[in-house]
Amino acid sequence: MHILITGGAGLLGSRLAKALLKRNTLADAQGVQQTISRITLLDVVAAHGFNDPRIQTITGDISDPEVVRAAVTPDTQSIFHLAAIVSGEAEANFDLGMRINLDATRLILERARHNRNCPRVVFTSSVAAFGGILPAQVLDSTPTTPQSSYGAQKVMGELLISDYSRKQFIDGRALRMPTVCVRPGAPNKAASSFASGIIREPLNGTVSVCPVAPGTALWLISPGKAIANLIHGHEIGSLLGASRALNLPGLSTTVGEMAQSLERVGGAAAAQRIRWQIDPAIERIVNSWPGDFLTTRANAMGFTRDASFDAIVQEYISEELKAGGK
Amino acid sequence: MHILITGGAGLLGSRLAKALLKRNTLADAQGVQQTISRITLLDVVAAHGFNDPRIQTITGDISDPEVVRAAVTPDTQSIFHLAAIVSGEAEANFDLGMRINLDATRLILERARHNRNCPRVVFTSSVAAFGGILPAQVLDSTPTTPQSSYGAQKVMGELLISDYSRKQFIDGRALRMPTVCVRPGAPNKAASSFASGIIREPLNGTVSVCPVAPGTALWLISPGKAIANLIHGHEIGSLLGASRALNLPGLSTTVGEMAQSLERVGGAAAAQRIRWQIDPAIERIVNSWPGDFLTTRANAMGFTRDASFDAIVQEYISEELKAGGK
């Protein structure tokens, strides 16, 4: 069993690889559990922190056909396509977003089609698929109306995943991920980067700027649950219905409630390290995203969510701070 | 005022050109009516039947960047992007459909963006944007779930039109056209080709095979109304809302009712020239399309539909048969 993870050096990619190594098996195209013989981590920067003979790393640009050819081999039975230009950067650099989020996705799907082995492909889509005037809760039947280039590119990726699956070129699943929080490490160019920053930085003793109002609602998932749902999305037999795209469960909370969780779990001093200062460009993108969903379809399929935001903050403290993570 | 029509040699393209020549003015980017100085007809085959100094024809492949560069010039203020690989052909030849319906659309939008004059772009999408399990009437809020490669490519085009418009690269409008019927001329590779064939061929004295059951519902528009709505879609100030895609009004009718109209308007002998013989490949695609819509948004914007299918048949007889058309 050979698995490819694009974005393999990122937070989700490297955590997913670790979870798969530990698990040691994954379903093949027929749904039969196979021993994992190789996991290829493809990213524009080198993946590190692995000392396992099953890990192969490829460093390169996923919009380069030669790189994709080296990564998607005829024995690639599973692809987790996580690599993307994040929301804030795709909005600032339209061409880069199109090249990585759309063109590279096509390259990967085309290579998989070329190999004629119908691999399972798990593609990470996003709450940014939705936007504009939305119902209080986004339903499985709510139409996708992205209000960012990132969101538009993700929905185009979903359409490719669905059509390539319908044509039996691949067996794809496009999972619309909630905002992953609390991410360890440094801020990134996602418009949602603050959602992790306002928890992580204060717990690490430094100040963090919150660029949106306290009433802003977000749809969140912890890194641990995100990984569990990515693997679950790979393992389930099929995504029934007219589309391979699926809204994943999450936790609806406001930024103000997140600050209260931080105070409860991390202490008053930590909470006081949040500086509230609106950034209109970020606020416009974040406010276009839905903050609450009713994920009937995904719940019935066995996808799960975090118990509370307090539990998410606690998980970050236990796994990252106490383990000496950054 | 310079206008580009892609697919300019086709039924809609050439009729649109004639209607624009007669009209002689069109709204510019600021909504001001300007005299039409040039209409460029771009198609893979030469457009003919024009004897007007305002008409320029370019024969070439719209997926060729040089062809697009020649067609979308810095003074192009309006683009009607009608060129497409039709549904049946895009299903049979996936790569060709992607190249023309997606890649060429991107080339045209990129060239318009490059020119920095924010042209109005009218893009013809389709009822094939919808599929799977649908409500009895498709609403403006029904999500797009295409069940054909043509439909998937059209929805990707809509997403491009919406995002390029949001970024103010263009001022786009994606109009989801009903099936156009009765088309004069020869059958084409659209899965819906029979909808015109079962009226046109019997009226011309020859037999036509209907590949779907009489109960199959279709959403139809006459060529005349289609042209009127394309021009109206260009002229309206803006398409409000989170998406530039719009369901156009049409007439909901079953194939059996169409045969009855043929008998009423064209006579019993004509109706007896329909042979009923199911083609599963065509039936699968056509049955994935909705047969009825509630087009509240488009109706409010002033788009119009035909009075009855009898009137559509009568229009074909008056305009094509009696005018000596084929």
Side-chain angles (χ1 to χ4, degrees), chain B residues 87-108:
Chain B
S87 51
E89 191 165 20
E91 195 63 25
N93 191 337
F94 181 80
D95 295 315
L96 179 64
M98 290 293 281
R99 182 161 66 81
I100 301 299
N101 295 344
L102 180 57
D103 294 330
T105 298
R106 275 179 76 184
L107 279 180
I108 289 163

Side-chain angles (χ1 to χ4, degrees), chain B residues 270-324:
Chain B
Q272 281 161 16
R273 294 190 193 103
I274 301 177
R275 296 279 176 279
W276 301 85
Q277 190 181 320
I278 303 292
D279 179 327
I282 290 177
E283 190 172 53
R284 195 197 61 73
I285 295 179
V286 174
N287 280 344
S288 80
W289 300 339
D292 198 8
F293 287 71
L294 190 63
T295 55
T296 310
R297 197 170 148 218
N299 296 354
M301 289 180 187
F303 290 91
T304 54
R305 64 178 202 166
D306 298 280
S308 68
F309 193 70
D310 282 14
I312 291 180
V313 177
Q314 196 55 62
E315 177 186 313
Y316 173 76
I317 292 172
S318 309
E319 296 192 3
E320 300 295 333
L321 288 190
K322 296 197 176 153

Side-chain angles (χ1 to χ4, degrees), chain B residues 20-105:
Chain B
L20 292 174
L21 288 173
K22 189 170 170 191
R23 190 187 151 95
N24 201 34
T25 67
L26 205 64
D28 66 12
Q30 285 71 45
V32 179
Q33 289 293 319
Q34 299 286 351
T35 301
I36 295 170
S37 54
R38 190 165 95 236
I39 300 176
T40 299
L41 301 178
L42 169 60
D43 209 315
V44 70
V45 295
H48 54 82
F50 291 93
N51 181 18
D52 190 299
R54 292 169 290 176
I55 292 288
Q56 173 196 29
T57 60
I58 299 181
T59 307
D61 182 335
I62 57 163
S63 68
D64 177 344
E66 288 309 313
V67 169
V68 171
R69 190 183 306 255
V72 184
T73 50
D75 68 341
T76 305
Q77 288 165 283
S78 292
I79 300 172
F80 289 89
H81 178 32
L82 313 181
I85 297 298
V86 295
S87 51
E89 191 165 20
E91 195 63 25
N93 191 337
F94 181 80
D95 295 315
L96 179 64
M98 290 293 281
R99 182 161 66 81
I100 301 299
N101 295 344
L102 180 57
D103 294 330
T105 298

Side-chain angles (χ1 to χ4, degrees), chain B residues 23-321:
Chain B
R23 190 187 151 95
N24 201 34
T25 67
L26 205 64
D28 66 12
Q30 285 71 45
V32 179
Q33 289 293 319
Q34 299 286 351
T35 301
I36 295 170
S37 54
R38 190 165 95 236
I39 300 176
T40 299
L41 301 178
L42 169 60
D43 209 315
V44 70
V45 295
H48 54 82
F50 291 93
N51 181 18
D52 190 299
R54 292 169 290 176
I55 292 288
Q56 173 196 29
T57 60
I58 299 181
T59 307
D61 182 335
I62 57 163
S63 68
D64 177 344
E66 288 309 313
V67 169
V68 171
R69 190 183 306 255
V72 184
T73 50
D75 68 341
T76 305
Q77 288 165 283
S78 292
I79 300 172
F80 289 89
H81 178 32
L82 313 181
I85 297 298
V86 295
S87 51
E89 191 165 20
E91 195 63 25
N93 191 337
F94 181 80
D95 295 315
L96 179 64
M98 290 293 281
R99 182 161 66 81
I100 301 299
N101 295 344
L102 180 57
D103 294 330
T105 298
R106 275 179 76 184
L107 279 180
I108 289 163
L109 296 181
E110 271 300 290
R111 196 68 205 163
R113 171 189 174 202
H114 172 87
N115 288 339
R116 296 179 177 275
N117 66 340
C118 196
R120 289 201 175 177
V121 178
V122 177
F123 171 69
T124 45
S125 186
S126 165
V127 297
F130 299 98
I133 297 166
L134 290 169
Q137 278 194 316
V138 165
L139 307 178
D140 291 328
S141 59
T142 300
T144 51
T145 48
Q147 298 302 303
S148 64
S149 295
Y150 174 76
Q153 291 149 11
K154 283 293 183 187
V155 177
M156 286 190 271
E158 294 178 1
L159 286 158
L160 291 171
I161 291 284
S162 289
D163 203 47
Y164 272 69
S165 296
R166 193 186 56 78
K167 300 283 279 186
Q168 297 183 297
F169 298 154
I170 64 165
D171 178 5
R173 298 100 198 271
L175 306 180
R176 294 190 189 124
M177 303 291 285
T179 295
V180 176
C181 171
V182 179
R183 287 176 169 270
N188 67 12
K189 290 176 182 171
S192 59
S193 180
F194 74 88
S196 290
I198 61 168
I199 305 301
R200 180 185 60 225
E201 268 67 286
L203 286 173
N204 283 281
T206 60
V207 162
S208 181
V209 170
C210 184
V212 301
T216 306
L218 295 175
W219 186 240
L220 300 179
I221 193 164
S222 67
K225 277 284 179 224
I227 297 304
N229 281 338
L230 284 173
I231 294 174
H232 185 69
H234 181 281
E235 295 301 90
I236 51 177
S238 71
L239 293 188
L240 300 171
S243 161
R244 295 298 185 110
L246 185 68
N247 298 337
L248 286 198
L251 202 65
S252 181
T253 182
T254 67
V255 175
E257 289 166 347
M258 291 166 69
Q260 288 165 16
S261 276
L262 176 62
E263 182 163 357
R264 271 194 301 274
V265 181
Q272 281 161 16
R273 294 190 193 103
I274 301 177
R275 296 279 176 279
W276 301 85
Q277 190 181 320
I278 303 292
D279 179 327
I282 290 177
E283 190 172 53
R284 195 197 61 73
I285 295 179
V286 174
N287 280 344
S288 80
W289 300 339
D292 198 8
F293 287 71
L294 190 63
T295 55
T296 310
R297 197 170 148 218
N299 296 354
M301 289 180 187
F303 290 91
T304 54
R305 64 178 202 166
D306 298 280
S308 68
F309 193 70
D310 282 14
I312 291 180
V313 177
Q314 196 55 62
E315 177 186 313
Y316 173 76
I317 292 172
S318 309
E319 296 192 3
E320 300 295 333
L321 288 190

